[in-house]
Amino acid sequence: KSSKPLSADSVPIGGFYINKEIAAYLIKRNLENGKKSEADRYIAQYQRVLKGELELDVLKDECQVFIANFKKLDVLAENFKISLSSMVTNWSLEVDAYEKIIVSVPKDPFTSGEWVNSEFYAHQLREILITKVWNKSLKGTVASVLARSKEVLNGEEISITLISGGSSNLRWLQSLLLRDFKDEL
């Protein structure tokens, strides 16, 4: 009864966002640098299609094929994330995290050809979470919330934090909170 939520914020950085980052990582990781840039360009065009800024059918055929492969991989990424995270036993940011699953990825994402099996490790998932989710989006939001709450707390400490959503089960988030905000929490 005496709890009071302070300076809450909600950002659309959750499961679907993480799945897209996993898909982007997996579709690009075996490409040469020039092809990675092309993949980034096609992913950006796909984002414009999703926002309604661009029609899919006006894109060149290779881009449409790439987007079809990316969309398929994006859907599969949810199961990859769940399967791999259910195997992790140590959520420390410093451990090797060599738990792995076998994932299916397009051999050449620019063609509608063969898909091949590949390994996806927990340390790779952790790196995606840290660089593409935490550092890029969540860390700044948390810092902003903590700064706004200081004014209302009048020197009192925060006793509990609530992180909601299915991807909050990736317990590296707790480690990242403690690492980057231990003085505020």
Side-chain angles (χ1 to χ4, degrees), residues 7-42:
S7 302
D9 201 349
S10 179
V11 290
I13 306 297
F16 293 122
Y17 181 87
I18 295 169
N19 294 349
K20 285 195 183 330
E21 293 297 341
I22 291 169
Y25 170 80
L26 291 173
I27 208 164
K28 295 186 317 184
R29 76 171 168 184
N30 293 324
L31 298 176
E32 295 177 12
N33 282 337
K35 288 291 190 178
K36 283 184 183 181
S37 296
E38 192 170 357
D40 285 332
R41 196 168 42 257
Y42 288 169

Side-chain angles (χ1 to χ4, degrees), residues 145-158:
V145 166
L146 291 173
R148 285 193 319 264
S149 68
K150 274 188 178 184
E151 298 169 16
V152 180
L153 285 172
N154 296 324
E156 301 264 341
E157 290 186 359
I158 293 174

Side-chain angles (χ1 to χ4, degrees), residues 173-183 185:
L173 287 174
Q174 179 182 359
S175 298
L176 289 165
L177 277 168
L178 293 172
R179 181 192 75 185
D180 294 343
F181 299 104
K182 66 181 173 193
D183 293 338
L185 299 174

